[in-house]
Structure formats: C-alpha cells, structure tokens
Amino acid sequence: MATPRIPPGINPRDKRSGDRRALPRPGRPGGAVWYVLGFLMLMALAQTWLLAPTGRQISYSEFKAAVRAGRVAEVTISEQTIRGTYKAEVNGTRNFNAARIEDPKLLEELDATGVRYTGEFVSRWLPEVIGWVIPILLLLALWSFFFRRMGSAEGGVMSFARSKHRVFAEDDVKVSFADVAGVDEAEQELKEIVEFLKNPKKYTALGGRIPKGVLLVGPPGTGKTLLARAVAGEAKVPFFSLSGSEFVEMFVGVGAARVRDLFSQAEQKAPCIIFIDELDALGRARVQSPMGSHEEREQTLNQLLAEMDGFDSRKAIIIMAATNRPEVLDPALLRPGRFDRHVLVDKPDVKGREEVLQIHTRQVKLAPEVDLKIVAARTAGFAGADLANLVNEAALLAARNDKASVEMADFDEAIDRLIAGLEKKRVMSRKEREIVAYHESGHAIVATLIPGMDPVHKISIVQRGFGALGYTMQLPLEDRYLMQRRDLLNQLAVLLGGRTAEEIALGEISTGAQNDLQRATDIARSMVTEWGMSDALGAINYDGHKRSKFLDLAFGPERGAYAEETARLIDAEVKRIMTEAHAQARGILTEHRDDLERVTRRLLEKEVMEGEELRTMLGIAPAADPSADKTPLPPGLQ
Ligand code: ADP
Ligand code: MG
Ligand code: ZN
C-alpha cells in the first residue's frame, strides 16, 4: 500500500502519486510531490499575471480629477483596485488603475459624469490554498524522506532498506583450504561442513540434522574470515558475508530488516553459507540497564535468533560466525540449534608459521639463502595476519634497497619492526617463553608420571588470546562422576607441578601460577569442608548449603557456621594438604630433573607437543587412545 502523500482534491495529478510505477525515480523521496509543487507554482504565476493590474498606475486624486474632468470612459471596481479606461490616450495608454480608497461619494460622481462602471468579484482561493498547501507539502516531503531512511519494514518503505543492503553473495569464492595454514584442527572440523554443503541430500536422506551454526573463535588475525571463505570455496557454494557492526545502524529496525533480507536471499541460493564476522558487535549479551538498553542491537539480535530457529535445517544453509571475544556473547546465541558448534582457531605453532609463510611467499622472490624455518622460529606469537604482514614488509624493505630478491636480512629487519609494533600486543619475550615452557612441562610430567591420571593430550606454549600463556590439556579416558581422595590429591600435585617446575629449574617463581593455585586451593578447601576428606576434621560438611553468588555479594563472604577454633583447624588442614601435594610434585620433578629439561627444550623448539611424544620421551607406555577427540574450548590447565 502506498502512503498518501498529497491531500486529495488539489490537483488532478495527485491520483498518479498512488501509483508507484508512475514515479520518475522510485529511489528518490517524493517524486510526485515535486510535480505537484511545480504545478502549483505555475498556477500562482499565471494568476498573478492574469489578475495583474494593467495600464498606468495613478493616484486616487488623479483618478477623481479625471472623472470630474469627464475624461474617463469606464471603470471596473473591485475590492481593492479600480481599473478603468480613458476616453482618449493619456501618456500613450488608455488604461489606468488606482488603489481604491473608501469613498462613499464615488458612485454619485460616476453617475453624474456618465462613466460606465461595473463591480468585480475576485476569487482569491488560489493564493490562499497555495499559502497553506506549500508548507504542508514540504513537511510531507521531509516526513516521507525520513520515513524511508528509517526503513520501516512495511511496503514501499522496504525498498529503500533493500536498496541500501550490502549483502554480497560471492558466488565464486576463490579461496581454498590450501590458502590457510597452521590451523589444522579447525580445518579438520570444517571439512565436515564442506562435505555436507557439497552433498546435502546424502546427509538429509537419512534424516540427519546438520549443524546450523558454526562459531569460529580465536584471536584476531588467525584466519577466521579466511577459513569461512575457504569453506565456501571448497564447497563451491555462494558466500553471504556481513560484519556484525554493519547490522547495527543508527535507525531502529534497519538491522532487523537486514537480517530478514539476508536470510531470505540466502534461502533462494541454498546450499550456501551466511557468514557474520565480528559477531560480538551484534551478539553482546542483552543487559537490563537502568539507562535503557541498546534497542537497535537487541532487535537485530532477536531477529537473528528468530531466523536461525525458523529456517529448516535441511535447507543446507550453514551460518558461520567469527569472534575473538566469545565471553561477551549472549548465551542465547550459543544454545543448541544456534551457534552450538565451536571451532577454535588458534595462533599457529612453529610448523604452522612456516606453512603460513610458505603460502604468503608464493608470489615473492626469495633469495636462496632464506630459510622460512628460521623465520618461523623467530616469530613466536605471530598470528597468520602478522606473518602475511611480515612477508610484505620484508618485500618492501628489499625493494627500497633495490635488491633483486628478498633476503634473510630483510626478514630480520621486518621482524624487528613488527615485534616493536606488536610489543603492545604482548608477544612473549624469550625469558617469558622459557618460564612458560618449564611451567607447562612441569604440569605435563607430573600428570604423566603419576599412575592413573588422565593422559596428557597436548602441551602448548603458544600464547592464546584468552589470557593463558600456555596450557597442558588432559583428556579423560572415561567420564567421571566420582573422585576419590587419592585422585584429588594427585590432581593437586599436577596443578602445583607447574609452579614447582619453575622453582626447581629457575629457582624463582612467577605470577603465571595464580590460576593453578586458586584452583588447587579451592579443591583442597572443598576436600576439608565439603567432602569430609580430612581426618582431623572428620566427615562433617562445614559449608552448609552454599549461598548463591548473588547473596554472597549482598552480605559479604560467608564464614561458615562454625567456631573460630574450627576455622583455624580448616585453614591448617588445607595448608597441610597443599604442602603434601607440593612435596609430591617436587619429589617427582626432582627425580626427573633431566626429563624436565629435555621436555622443556623440546617444547621451546616445537611450541606444541602431542601427548604421545611426551610419553615416549618419558619412556611410558602409550596411553589408550582417547576416543574423545572433540576438544572442548580451553579446559586445560593454565
Ligand atoms: P581474522 O578474521 O581471524 O581476524 P583474517 O582471516 O581476517 O583473520 O586474516 C587476515 C589475513 O591474514 C588473511 O587474509 C590472510 O592473508 C592472513 N592469514 C591469517 N591467518 C592465516 C592462516 N592461518 N593462513 C594463511 N594466511 C592467514
Ligand atoms: Mg576477520
Ligand atoms: Zn599452570
């Protein structure tokens, strides 16, 4: 339905304004309005011209004198003017006019001198109408302009929103997995999606449900966007991409309209991929703030959720999104049926960095002495984008020095420059890397050498975007519902193993163990106060029902309902348990001091180490293969 922009009855043209196809340029605001305005202007001009007094302008006294002298032939008297003609030409014209003055005697005199006179009734409707209508029309034009800008979803207004869409479906994405390196695990997981997009019928024929939403999580510049495009390229499906920030516009409703439009366009092109970059810009947790919420973003987010729930999962549309801040996302986005599949895209290790460098030096003329292995070794902490940048920088440096090819010296200089720039992003120093390597080796060795522990799956000193400097990941062989006291004590030894290794190897401890200590202390305290695992205190639960966090906040930390004496005893028991665990870790690591050294060196060199290699180095029988290969997001020890 078209919006009535012109009050009816002014002008026959207004009928056309109801017909959108008649508009000269539908994208422009109020085309018909301008027509009407122009027409009215013409009318006004015409009237002025038609009604304009003709002949010579004379004064009223002059007019009266002429009447008395008998020189006037006839006059037309209107409300405000008197027009007339002389009997003979005066100053080259017979016509005259004069402003009318209140003069009751005039008619008598005209009768007396025999002048023919007529009255005139002038309709003044046109100027009046114009005086009213032009401002109204201007207001209407402005109103319709802004209304369109706001892109309300109804009818004609929608076309404006649509025309502004920057939904680009790339039909032929040229990126493939060969252009991405160093993120093998992510690649592996995404291969499944590619398979599905290539052949959706095969999967849905058996009634299977395909994941709808895949969330790529990782630090900036690790290739999330690149991977998403590679999936489209490999599967040869159209790629719709939009950035989360593009959804959030000034006007309420535009974002939601875009989401709707995006999905309806995608539905027509299925199988395809919808990619939402920087999901966090759009998908931040909705908050109830007293200052009022960000209404536009919420509407958009709600629309996205509705669309994700609404479309048929057999339609073969995969929604991918990327974020480097998963922690701020609205939990609703992560629920089953939405972005429930998470793929970790991490910074590359040495080997990965070498591969990334290889990809980006494909088009670069390298001097034969350039060894990308060495470049990779010197760029710990660089993400894929940093490496791409590095290659470019080195090439520019070489060109500036008029070299025929890019030499190792150029790479060195470029690395120095980039590291200076990255300093702000906290790339670990050599010393820090060593500390982290000892620390993680400590965890891993203790975990491996205590019998019955979950096998170590992976050790890494690749810095992550989420605060951890390194991690040791253990994978349980089976689900556990109960922990025995021995298991817990062993767990404590593993947690303290990192800090203990630093002590032993460097004679110094760092702040890196803070999280370990906190977790260990929590476990020890729970052993004493909740699980009755301390002989000194007996099988009593001292904590009662734990209060909710909210109440804790309101009333301050709770001191259990026990005597001061008991509190002291609890603290002493916690301390004893911790000390024993520390001693256990210390014993293991001192006995295996040389192993600690070897594992640390190897880790510094490789940055990431598989559990198998670790067990081989320690001369331990290989663990039963942990079948659970779906690694959850960073569960590892810090
Ligand atoms: P993100 O989206 O994770 O911030 P991008 O995908 O935008 O990172 O990466 C930017 C550029 O950096 C890419 O276009 C590519 O040239 C390079 N790059 C990043 N990661 C990789 C990688 N793993 N392999 C190859 N090139 C990469
Ligand atoms: Mg990106
Ligand atoms: Zn640790």
Side-chain angles (χ1 to χ4, degrees):
M1 202 195 73
T3 33
R5 283 187 212 96
I6 295 122
I10 288 179
N11 170 348
R13 278 175 185 278
D14 73 300
K15 290 215 183 70
R16 300 187 59 198
S17 71
D19 180 2
R20 292 185 47 78
R21 277 156 302 179
L23 296 185
R25 288 162 70 182
R28 269 187 47 222
V33 172
W34 300 120
Y35 271 152
V36 175
L37 272 180
F39 181 77
L40 283 173
M41 294 285 236
L42 274 178
M43 294 275 286
L45 277 176
Q47 193 199 31
T48 335
W49 180 72
L50 280 174
L51 300 183
T54 49
R56 207 160 61 85
Q57 188 81 31
I58 56 173
S59 69
Y60 195 73
S61 55
E62 236 179 294
F63 162 64
K64 283 296 271 285
V67 170
R68 281 178 203 133
R71 280 190 277 122
V72 175
E74 58 175 327
V75 291
T76 308
I77 303 171
S78 73
E79 225 174 297
Q80 284 156 8
T81 58
I82 296 174
R83 283 178 287 131
T85 43
Y86 295 119
K87 287 176 180 154
E89 274 192 12
V90 177
N91 297 338
T93 172
R94 283 181 59 184
N95 293 329
F96 68 88
N97 60 70
R100 188 178 158 188
I101 286 177
E102 192 58 42
D103 180 5
K105 295 262 164 55
L106 177 61
L107 292 185
E108 279 173 34
E109 281 184 50
L110 290 178
D111 283 333
T113 50
V115 177
R116 268 183 294 133
Y117 56 91
T118 46
E120 190 183 58
F121 174 77
V122 177
S123 149
R124 287 265 156 200
W125 66 271
L126 201 50
E128 297 254 322
V129 167
I130 289 171
W132 278 98
V133 160
I134 287 183
I136 289 180
L137 282 179
L138 279 174
L139 280 176
L140 277 175
L142 274 176
W143 171 76
S144 94
F145 179 71
F146 281 111
F147 192 55
R148 279 151 175 270
R149 278 297 301 267
M150 289 194 288
S152 147
E154 288 310 315
V157 182
M158 185 64 193
S159 65
F160 192 81
R162 182 187 293 268
S163 68
K164 252 200 86 188
H165 275 198
R166 273 161 296 168
V167 176
F168 288 134
E170 251 182 280
D171 284 323
D172 187 16
V173 182
K174 291 276 190 302
V175 182
S176 74
F177 282 146
D179 300 312
V180 192
V183 285
D184 299 337
E185 275 171 42
E187 225 177 280
Q188 214 53 45
E189 290 204 39
L190 292 173
K191 284 217 167 100
E192 198 182 322
I193 307 280
V194 171
E195 275 311 305
F196 165 66
L197 284 169
K198 270 186 175 165
N199 198 352
K201 293 229 174 58
K202 181 171 131 194
Y203 290 82
T204 52
L206 300 176
R209 267 204 24 239
I210 308 303
K212 269 188 199 174
V214 179
L215 182 62
L216 303 174
V217 182
T222 45
K224 299 182 290 298
T225 312
L226 191 66
L227 265 173
R229 301 189 64 222
V231 172
E234 290 277 334
K236 301 197 173 45
V237 298
F239 183 71
F240 290 86
S241 83
L242 254 173
S243 161
S245 54
E246 280 177 86
F247 280 120
V248 184
E249 289 255 341
M250 194 160 77
F251 292 111
V252 175
V254 174
R258 284 200 180 158
V259 171
R260 222 172 302 139
D261 205 55
L262 176 64
F263 275 80
S264 74
Q265 285 189 33
E267 225 158 289
Q268 287 154 20
K269 288 217 171 187
C272 66
I273 290 177
I274 295 177
F275 178 61
I276 304 173
D277 213 344
E278 303 163 44
L279 181 65
D280 41 295
L282 160 70
R284 242 162 236 270
R286 288 163 290 190
V287 281
Q288 291 296 316
S289 88
M291 302 296 288
S293 48
H294 194 315
E295 205 184 323
E296 160 65 356
R297 209 191 58 222
E298 280 180 19
Q299 270 198 18
T300 311
L301 177 56
N302 288 338
Q303 187 65 40
L304 178 66
L305 295 176
E307 294 287 348
M308 285 190 80
D309 291 344
F311 80 82
D312 188 346
S313 65
R314 280 161 301 179
K315 269 266 168 63
I317 302 175
I318 300 278
I319 306 162
M320 298 182 77
T323 181
N324 49 22
R325 311 187 54 199
E327 69 283 354
V328 305
L329 290 183
D330 196 301
L333 273 170
L334 307 177
R335 276 212 277 275
R338 293 165 182 170
F339 292 106
D340 49 2
R341 190 70 83 86
H342 300 174
V343 174
L344 185 61
V345 187
D346 223 336
K347 285 190 184 171
D349 59 9
V350 195
K351 205 169 117 280
R353 289 200 297 272
E354 191 187 334
E355 288 163 15
V356 175
L357 286 168
Q358 263 156 13
I359 289 175
H360 288 283
T361 48
R362 275 185 211 148
Q363 319 280 353
V364 176
K365 254 199 178 170
L366 293 182
E369 106 264 6
V370 171
D371 186 353
L372 293 179
K373 239 192 196 72
I374 296 176
V375 178
R378 287 183 192 164
T379 47
F382 278 44
D386 301 326
L387 293 169
N389 199 2
L390 169 69
V391 171
N392 189 46
E393 192 82 3
L396 290 180
L397 280 171
R400 194 175 308 157
N401 296 326
D402 301 320
K403 293 184 188 170
S405 60
V406 186
E407 296 166 7
M408 204 60 189
D410 301 316
F411 274 103
D412 282 338
E413 194 179 340
I415 291 173
D416 289 345
R417 285 185 180 201
L418 281 184
I419 286 187
L422 287 172
E423 216 55 318
K424 290 181 223 110
K425 287 202 221 160
R426 287 302 300 132
V427 166
M428 274 192 279
S429 72
R430 172 171 299 193
K431 177 81 188 153
E432 284 169 324
R433 282 182 75 227
E434 192 172 40
I435 295 175
V436 175
Y438 274 118
H439 182 103
E440 299 307 332
S441 303
H443 283 310
I445 291 174
V446 175
T448 308
L449 291 178
I450 295 179
M453 294 299 288
D454 294 332
V456 170
H457 172 64
K458 198 172 177 183
I459 327 170
S460 160
I461 57 165
V462 180
Q463 195 182 358
R464 293 185 166 219
F466 310 114
L469 299 174
Y471 61 91
T472 300
M473 194 185 286
Q474 286 173 278
L475 277 188
L477 289 177
E478 57 206 14
D479 288 346
R480 289 192 185 207
Y481 301 103
L482 281 176
M483 297 275 269
Q484 289 178 320
R485 175 151 68 174
R486 192 66 251 162
D487 300 328
L488 288 168
L489 290 173
N490 289 341
Q491 191 66 53
L492 289 182
V494 173
L495 279 168
L496 294 178
R499 172 194 162 92
T500 313
E502 288 181 50
E503 263 169 40
I504 292 175
L506 304 165
E508 184 62 276
I509 44 183
S510 70
T511 55
Q514 188 249 352
N515 181 273
D516 296 338
L517 281 184
Q518 190 181 335
R519 285 172 58 183
T521 315
D522 282 349
I523 292 178
R525 181 165 282 276
S526 293
M527 285 173 72
V528 177
T529 62
E530 286 176 56
W531 303 324
M533 286 179 177
S534 144
D535 293 334
L537 282 141
I540 296 174
N541 181 332
Y542 288 93
D543 258 3
H545 298 290
K546 279 217 164 138
R547 287 200 195 172
S548 73
K549 279 239 154 57
F550 179 71
L551 288 175
D552 273 355
L553 263 182
F555 299 114
E558 183 190 21
R559 212 53 216 182
Y562 39 75
E564 201 55 33
E565 182 62 29
T566 316
R568 211 168 295 141
L569 205 55
I570 290 175
D571 288 342
E573 276 298 282
V574 171
K575 179 145 196 251
R576 184 184 61 78
I577 291 175
M578 292 285 281
T579 314
E580 278 178 21
H582 187 201
Q584 189 188 1
R586 205 177 168 83
I588 294 172
L589 289 174
T590 322
E591 191 185 328
H592 294 267
R593 179 69 182 82
D594 49 339
D595 285 330
L596 176 61
E597 207 57 42
R598 282 193 302 133
V599 173
T600 303
R601 292 297 141 219
R602 186 80 182 121
L603 198 53
L604 279 170
E605 183 188 322
K606 269 191 69 185
E607 299 185 353
V608 175
M609 207 165 158
E610 297 296 326
E612 278 322 308
E613 185 177 0
L614 175 72
R615 281 181 281 278
T616 314
M617 283 180 86
L618 297 177
I620 302 269
D625 190 19
S627 52
D629 59 355
K630 282 277 160 285
T631 44
L633 274 184
L637 305 171
Q638 198 178 27

